[in-house]
Amino acid sequence: MWHELVLHGIGGRTILEAKARMTYGEAMDWYAYIRRRGSLNLGNRLEHGFAMLATVLSRIHGGQAEMGDFMPYETALTEEQDEWATISPERAREIWH
């Protein structure tokens, strides 16, 4: 969460700066906002919107496509997160040490 806030100019130019400047309540408000509304990244928001539009148009014309079919970056990110979620402690030590 801190990375995303700082990348979008919220709280400061570094994570350390943002943590020093923001109160716990502010940080939790941003956390709740991101969990409810999604990423602050404009590219991700646009991708999601266009994927929704493409899915609706596909379905109107008889297609069976899902939103994920029109969201290549989101799909790749999800697959990468799934891969890292199942990593063993031994493998993590090999990679990071």
Side-chain angles (χ1 to χ4, degrees), residues 18-85:
K19 285 182 177 181
R21 289 182 179 177
M22 293 177 71
T23 66
Y24 180 77
E26 286 176 303
M28 290 299 99
D29 287 345
W30 279 110
Y31 178 73
Y33 178 86
I34 292 169
R35 287 204 34 114
R36 184 168 187 202
R37 303 281 183 199
S39 174
L40 299 174
N41 186 320
L42 180 61
N44 290 349
R45 289 176 171 266
L46 286 171
E47 182 181 47
H48 187 269
F50 283 118
M52 189 182 314
L53 178 63
T55 303
V56 169
L57 291 173
S58 172
R59 297 250 173 108
I60 287 171
H61 294 288
Q64 298 298 316
E66 298 293 328
M67 273 186 59
D69 298 337
F70 301 105
M71 298 172 57
Y73 296 108
E74 185 69 26
T75 304
L77 179 61
T78 303
E79 289 171 1
E80 183 177 322
Q81 287 172 342
D82 289 345
E83 179 183 321
W84 284 104

